[in-house]
Amino acid sequence: MIPFLDLKSLNAQYRNELIEACTKVIDSGWYVQGNECNEFEKEFAQYCGTKYAVGVANGLDALILILRAYKELGFINNGDEVIVPSNTYIASILAISQNDLVPVLVEPDLNTYLIDSNKIEEKITSKTKAIMPVHLYGQTCDMDKINEIAKKYNLKVIEDSAQAHGAYYKDKRAGNLGDASGFSFYPGKNLGALGDGGAVTTNDEELSDIIRALGNYGSHKKYENLYKGVNSRLDEIQSAMLNVKLRYLDNEIEKRREIANYYLNNIKNDKLILPNVRKDDNHVWHLFVIRTDKRDELQKYLLDNNIQTLIHYPIAPHKQDAYKEWCNDKYLVSEQIHKEVLSLPISGVQNLEQTEKLVEVINNYE
């Protein structure tokens, strides 16, 4: 079986270093808000090119806390609107609605699956306060156009970079392309912890300070609570794991690019639509997503040939029971994408033999 993602083998590459890092934390007797988290925040901010990074419990919390911080600053109020792509993972939208804000869905570009920057402006109203571009699958959005629109209407730009660790837009990395960015370190990400984890990056010192307090019960100083905060902190064990794996992230990305390029150059089946890449040095290939109107049939064929695939994502957000108020809305591009996409295996431990086998099998699909 060619697995979609072999996490055990992926982390086994760094096993000795991970054990050493974990042992160091255990022996320190300090497990929350210590040196490992401080070090990771410093290194990750430097990697992204930002002044600040704040570790939080997960990627969803990262986005929730950014919006909450803007509410504390008085820039956003209950009932205000945030523009978000209609084909994103549900977490992007949950972060908005959990802050008592209104998600405004914008269709993606069918070629890139990224929010269509030409359709954003028509959705802006007097209640719009932010745009949340999602760098889906590992490719950055059209940030020049998005930032231009944001400046015109005095909006905040909050990147959802959960799938884009290390991705570039021109000369800047994801996480440094707007006012703030949320990252996830879920184990399957290109930079994955061995559990949940997340971070916020920004160049805004006041925003980072508020987010840090909000994630620590609303407190900068123990027992003194400035805000009605939550408990959302990146613990020392996960920070230590990430400190190890961050050193290898660029290598991981390069291995993924090699596989993606092999797929792009060698998959020759006119029943499939391959990813559209703006520039190959921008894409970090968190996912390699193809499309076909026979998606379920193709997935079964591949499984019958011992190739595991996944669907990211089978149900469009506006079709989820959680958002019943949208049940009659039509987002035809998103609906087409969600019916047709299929993610092929890709990871830093996938070998050439597996890659060649997959291409052979998929080229024989009729």
Side-chain angles (χ1 to χ4, degrees):
M1 174 70 73
I2 300 175
F4 178 76
L5 178 61
D6 184 354
L7 280 177
K8 183 177 178 180
S9 295
L10 189 67
N11 287 314
Q13 301 175 104
Y14 320 119
R15 187 176 190 275
N16 291 339
E17 290 177 77
L18 292 171
I19 290 173
E20 182 180 350
C22 186
T23 301
K24 182 181 175 183
V25 174
I26 293 169
D27 291 346
S28 75
W30 196 291
Y31 308 121
V32 179
Q33 293 187 309
N35 292 333
E36 293 292 336
C37 185
N38 291 339
E39 181 66 19
F40 176 72
E41 289 176 341
K42 176 183 174 182
E43 294 297 326
F44 192 63
Q46 184 176 351
Y47 180 83
C48 295
T50 58
K51 293 180 180 178
Y52 310 101
V54 181
V56 298
N58 53 68
L60 174 57
D61 281 4
L63 296 174
I64 289 173
L65 290 171
I66 293 169
L67 290 166
R68 172 71 190 283
Y70 279 127
K71 291 177 73 174
E72 294 293 345
L73 285 167
F75 187 83
I76 297 177
N77 297 296
N78 286 354
D80 283 341
E81 297 171 351
V82 178
I83 288 173
V84 65
S86 57
N87 65 316
T88 185
Y89 180 56
I90 199 71
S92 313
I93 296 168
L94 288 172
I96 298 168
S97 58
Q98 287 191 22
N99 272 290
D100 296 315
L101 304 172
V102 179
V104 175
L105 305 184
V106 171
E107 287 268 62
D109 182 321
L110 186 58
N111 292 315
T112 65
Y113 314 121
L114 303 173
I115 189 169
D116 190 336
S117 58
N118 295 314
K119 295 180 180 177
I120 292 175
E121 200 162 3
E122 65 192 48
K123 293 293 188 82
I124 293 174
T125 73
S126 60
K127 299 287 284 182
T128 308
K129 291 296 164 43
I131 304 171
M132 185 181 288
V134 180
H135 305 313
L136 203 63
Y137 307 152
Q139 184 168 215
T140 53
C141 298
D142 181 8
M143 295 307 297
D144 281 351
K145 180 71 175 290
I146 290 169
N147 282 320
E148 179 186 328
I149 294 169
K151 184 177 181 180
K152 179 179 178 180
Y153 292 95
N154 190 31
L155 308 178
K156 297 299 182 183
V157 175
I158 302 166
E159 300 171 75
D160 183 338
S161 301
Q163 298 186 6
H165 316 69
Y168 275 96
Y169 180 82
K170 297 185 176 179
D171 61 344
K172 290 185 177 181
R173 276 193 168 123
N176 191 27
L177 303 174
D179 295 288
S181 179
F183 285 88
S184 166
F185 304 123
Y186 184 76
K189 304 298 185 185
N190 288 15
L191 178 60
L194 273 69
D196 262 324
V200 173
T201 57
T202 184
N203 291 306
D204 185 331
E205 183 177 12
E206 185 177 20
L207 185 74
S208 70
D209 286 346
I210 292 174
I211 289 169
R212 188 175 299 282
L214 286 170
N216 186 41
Y217 300 97
S219 172
H220 284 299
K221 184 178 180 181
K222 198 169 185 177
Y223 304 128
E224 294 182 12
N225 303 83
L226 298 173
Y227 313 102
K228 296 173 184 175
V230 297
N231 177 5
S232 183
R233 302 177 296 206
L234 183 62
D235 68 60
E236 287 291 280
I237 291 286
Q238 297 307 332
S239 298
M241 303 298 98
L242 291 166
N243 278 326
V244 171
K245 296 183 72 175
L246 180 58
R247 297 196 289 268
Y248 299 100
L249 176 56
D250 286 342
N251 289 336
E252 167 76 16
I253 290 169
E254 285 308 311
K255 291 176 182 176
R256 287 172 173 269
R257 284 180 177 149
E258 289 174 8
I259 296 168
N261 287 333
Y262 190 91
Y263 284 161
L264 291 169
N265 292 327
N266 293 282
I267 293 177
K268 308 291 183 183
N269 189 319
D270 58 11
K271 292 182 173 61
L272 312 178
I273 298 172
L274 299 179
N276 183 294
V277 184
R278 191 174 56 244
K279 283 186 179 180
D280 59 6
D281 63 341
N282 285 338
H283 209 311
V284 295
W285 297 106
H286 173 59
L287 297 171
F288 190 96
V289 179
I290 62 173
R291 277 181 30 235
T292 173
D293 57 4
K294 305 288 188 181
R295 189 261 311 283
D296 294 343
E297 179 183 297
L298 174 61
Q299 186 175 40
K300 182 181 184 303
Y301 164 79
L302 291 172
L303 187 59
D304 288 344
N305 283 273
N306 295 313
I307 297 169
Q308 183 185 36
T309 59
L310 294 179
I311 300 170
H312 298 88
Y313 304 97
I315 303 173
H318 69 284
K319 295 294 187 181
Q320 298 284 358
D321 286 347
Y323 290 99
K324 289 186 176 69
E325 63 269 27
W326 293 337
C327 65
N328 294 320
D329 292 354
K330 299 293 183 184
Y331 296 93
L332 299 182
V333 177
S334 288
E335 289 170 25
Q336 180 180 349
I337 288 170
H338 288 274
K339 288 178 182 176
E340 295 181 351
V341 290
L342 187 66
S343 300
L344 301 184
I346 186 167
S347 79
V349 292
Q350 183 172 314
N351 60 45
L352 180 59
E353 181 182 355
Q354 291 173 316
T355 304
E356 290 175 339
K357 175 63 176 177
L358 187 148
V359 169
E360 179 187 356
V361 169
I362 211 166
N363 282 341
N364 290 329
Y365 173 67
E366 297 179 352

